[in-house]
Amino acid sequence: MDKILLKEITNLTFLENIESAKKVLDIYSNYLFEVINQGNSYLKSGNDADAIILNQMMFSKVLNIKNMIEGFTFETETKKIPPLIDPTLVATLIRNVYETVGAFNLLFIQPKKEDEKVILYNLWVVAGLSFRQEFEVGSDENQQKKNREKAEIIISLDKIRTTELYKSLSKAQKDKIENCILYRDFKITFTDKEVNKVGWKDLNSVIGITLVSHVNLYNLLSQSSHPTNVSVFQFRAMYSKITENWAQMTLGHIKFCSGLFSIFIADYIKAFPDTKSVFEKMSLLDQIIINFNNENYRGKAYKINDVSINSAVESGLIIFE
């Protein structure tokens, strides 16, 4: 196995510049693309097919984030803006990454029993299709689609309510599920026969993030995603020639993003162990970066394999310069 420079690892973990950020995003896009090319023979059920689509969506997101940090410019006949990045837009896309990682974890990692998985998955289906029922349709074709989706909602509700788990719940716990249906939500977990309602900002603890500085990650990303007063005064200051805060804010967001992609990869491998072979064919450097970021956010209990900076040092594969 090829040896690697310690400074390569530090560059890709601490992200000292935009070029390092692009390189670390390439690590994630390469892995996700290889999983896509592996096919779907590892699927366990029909519902698992949506996991493949979520993986493809994550592949799209990492490419779009990389494209966004290439920067933008603008010029007229007399003026030209040098290449800049808008960290607020980067944060908006990374918030979507956070939500996708959270949804995958809820649907494919949290359920410990088949009935839990059936309830979670069908709540997810009902939540999305119920919102679409509010749309006005202007053609017979779209009306037929709306009718089909209404029928699908009814089928999904029946799947939820006929599980042995649902039928065994107390009225108070059933009501929590019914409230999810009413308010078109799906974010719950189960503790034995107790239903736990979860908000987007609470997914940190569900996913397993223990890094103290990231406890309020969702709120932080949301402040940039929405036109809050905070986002306005940050935008006012970020393009100062003195500070160039836009670059530092962007790198901070990509560090969040790097952790989230690492978590998704680890969770995907846990849900579908056959994809671990793709991970273990990656270069030593790539495995170290993904493992490091996943463990940094969640601890060693979530590690994908035993590849780490320490194991590479012990094997004489790290060059100190």
Side-chain angles (χ1 to χ4, degrees):
M1 185 172 286
D2 293 338
K3 294 186 177 183
I4 55 178
L5 295 171
L6 180 62
K7 66 180 181 181
E8 288 185 87
I9 299 173
T10 57
N11 284 342
L12 294 175
T13 51
F14 294 102
L15 301 182
E16 296 177 356
N17 53 56
I18 298 298
E19 287 307 310
S20 296
K22 293 176 186 177
K23 288 179 182 178
V24 81
L25 291 174
D26 284 340
I27 292 174
Y28 298 114
S29 61
N30 289 339
Y31 171 81
L32 294 168
F33 186 67
E34 288 303 317
V35 171
I36 292 169
N37 285 332
Q38 190 182 25
N40 60 5
S41 59
Y42 56 83
L43 295 185
K44 304 170 189 174
S45 69
N47 292 347
D48 288 346
D50 284 336
I52 286 183
I53 304 303
L54 286 168
N55 185 74
Q56 293 174 4
M57 290 168 68
M58 291 292 277
F59 175 68
S60 171
K61 295 178 202 304
V62 71
L63 294 181
N64 276 282
I65 291 170
K66 184 184 176 185
N67 184 62
M68 195 172 287
I69 66 172
E70 293 287 349
F72 65 89
T73 187
F74 180 80
E75 64 180 295
T76 66
E77 292 181 357
T78 58
K79 301 287 184 181
K80 182 178 181 179
I81 297 175
L84 297 172
I85 302 168
D86 186 344
T88 63
L89 295 180
V90 176
T92 300
L93 191 45
I94 295 174
R95 190 180 79 150
N96 182 265
V97 170
Y98 171 99
E99 292 172 346
T100 307
V101 172
F104 182 87
N105 187 278
L106 281 176
L107 293 168
F108 297 99
I109 300 299
Q110 292 304 316
K112 301 300 184 286
K113 301 175 182 176
E114 184 60 27
D115 276 1
E116 292 178 6
K117 191 170 184 178
V118 169
I119 292 173
L120 259 297
Y121 180 84
N122 283 284
L123 282 176
W124 185 51
V125 171
V126 170
L129 295 183
S130 294
F131 272 110
R132 284 165 63 89
Q133 287 295 303
E134 293 184 352
F135 298 161
E136 297 294 331
V137 294
S139 68
D140 290 341
E141 180 182 355
N142 285 336
Q143 184 59 54
Q144 290 172 8
K145 181 186 292 185
K146 187 173 182 178
N147 292 341
R148 286 196 300 271
E149 291 182 354
K150 185 175 183 179
E152 189 173 345
I153 290 171
I154 294 171
I155 292 171
S156 290
L157 291 174
D158 185 63
K159 288 180 179 178
I160 292 168
R161 291 165 177 156
T162 56
T163 59
E164 291 303 316
L165 175 56
Y166 180 89
K167 290 188 287 187
S168 69
L169 295 176
S170 67
K171 183 180 183 305
Q173 301 306 314
K174 286 179 181 176
D175 285 346
K176 292 179 183 180
I177 294 176
E178 294 300 325
N179 280 337
C180 281
I181 295 168
L182 179 63
Y183 293 106
R184 295 169 293 199
D185 197 2
F186 69 95
K187 299 185 297 299
I188 60 170
T189 61
F190 288 93
T191 305
D192 294 325
K193 293 186 179 182
E194 183 172 344
V195 178
N196 311 298
K197 183 73 175 67
V198 181
W200 286 117
K201 67 181 180 63
D202 306 316
L203 284 176
N204 266 17
S205 58
V206 174
I207 294 170
I209 294 176
T210 56
L211 198 61
V212 175
S213 60
H214 291 45
V215 169
N216 293 312
L217 177 57
Y218 188 71
N219 288 344
L220 175 65
L221 294 171
S222 295
Q223 284 216 319
S224 294
S225 301
H226 298 301
T228 61
N229 176 256
V230 171
S231 70
V232 172
F233 71 66
Q234 284 183 334
F235 193 91
R236 181 189 301 129
M238 71 174 63
Y239 296 108
S240 164
K241 292 182 180 179
I242 299 174
T243 61
E244 291 197 340
N245 284 340
W246 60 270
Q248 292 307 311
M249 287 182 67
T250 299
L251 291 173
H253 291 333
I254 299 301
K255 288 176 185 177
F256 297 153
C257 174
S258 190
L260 291 169
F261 277 115
S262 295
I263 289 170
F264 178 81
I265 289 170
D267 280 356
Y268 200 91
I269 290 171
K270 182 175 181 180
F272 306 106
D274 287 351
T275 62
K276 187 176 182 179
S277 61
V278 176
F279 180 79
E280 294 186 328
K281 289 177 183 176
M282 299 179 78
S283 71
L284 176 64
L285 176 62
D286 291 357
Q287 290 186 56
I288 286 174
I289 295 302
I290 294 174
N291 263 332
F292 175 84
N293 285 316
N294 176 47
E295 291 181 31
N296 187 42
Y297 271 63
R298 305 199 289 181
K300 292 187 180 299
Y302 291 88
K303 68 180 181 179
I304 299 172
N305 61 15
D306 292 326
V307 173
S308 67
I309 297 174
N310 288 339
S311 69
V313 169
E314 292 170 359
S315 302
L317 296 173
I318 301 289
I319 300 173
F320 296 86
E321 286 188 0

